[in-house]
Amino acid sequence: MLLVPLLAAGLFLSLLTFAAPAEAKRVDPAFFGMHDTRISGGTVTTLPIGSVRLWDTGTAWRDIEKRKGRFNLGTLRTAVRTAREAGVRPMVVLGQTPRFHATKPNAPGAYGRGATSMPRLGPWKRYVAKLAQTFGTTVDYQIWNEPNVVNYWTGSVSQMALLTATAGTTIERIAGRKAVVVAPSFPLRLTSQQAWYRAFWHATVGGRGVARFVDVVSANLYPLEHQAPEASMKLASFARRAVPEAARRKPLWNTEINYGLRGGPPAKQISTRKQAAYVARTLVLNAASPVRRVYWYAWGLGAIANTHLVTPDGTKLTRAGRAWGVTATWLSGVDAQGCTQKSRGRLQGVYTCAFHEGDEVRRVYWKPRGSAVDIATPRTTHSWSTLSGATTERSGRFALRVGQAPVMVSSRR
């Protein structure tokens, strides 16, 4: 989770016109990811998800090794078992450093003294080896959370590269080549964070680039506090563009996303209607982009961000939570064809994202800013759906009102 003051001099201020990917991709269940702290107690959300990131779940290195050389995997085993029983793929985040293994034991951080420090390599290898021996290929392994944020890492770029190479080599040796190693996650909305990210991906260990030691590139695509989902796609584009070719060939995962973040609570507030629209647009844009997974932060969210899937007492889905479920039905199992945005004329600003399923074409439309407009549906239209879950059967071409909340139009090829 991002916890850093925002410096106006280093911000992205413009939105991206989102281009279609070079080729179609299938949206599989694992694309729909979540953070859910309840998983450590044996519960996971009933929303349609296929993956879960184990962060703030009592499963960090400091939680597992509280005494030197003694590993307590009980909570992590519960989280992994709960995920697997629900048919959800778990991802373990390997940091933070126990103080007694820290090279700088007094380094400050969000999780206590020494947590952000470079660990000694021997204990790091033993810890990573223990997890690889225990879980093999049943989990994904992420190296670290947000090393370009001082609350989570106070070491250097080269030290993080060394940790990555050490962990990747250890996991491959013990769990085999089929084990999935995910690079550290990086927020990218500040220019200083982008510089750190670029430097990491161009670092070498033993003469080899860090891409050699991981299977997945990871970014936390939070936009600025006043920005909408479309802005995060500019960050996704940077995440692909800024890395060497060897990393560009690997999958990209969006491992944290939400809106209104200011570096600490309270977040910039938006209406429940807009929250639902943001959830839907997040899933659609990421599905249509090169991003292969998107992990929502988070189920049962507090005041740190502004878009909530569940009521504060955790008993009911919000409007945004229901929008997640509806949008997942639109996207599950489809082949994504990409998005276009009208740049001029009466429909200026309107997004169209296209998905195929067999002989059906699903087009999702919205206009992120300004007044709603009427679009003409395709001639082969047979129905259209809203985020409320309502579907209207209607054949042929007709005018359909489009605003900030996406609508999905089904037609034949």
Side-chain angles (χ1 to χ4, degrees), residues 224-239:
L224 300 178
E225 64 177 88
H226 62 280
Q227 290 181 325
E230 294 74 24
S232 69
M233 290 296 97
K234 182 167 187 176
L235 303 182
S237 177
F238 172 84

Side-chain angles (χ1 to χ4, degrees), residues 361-372:
V361 181
R362 300 177 183 179
R363 292 179 175 87
V364 183
Y365 301 92
W366 72 93
K367 187 171 182 279
R369 295 179 304 281
S371 301

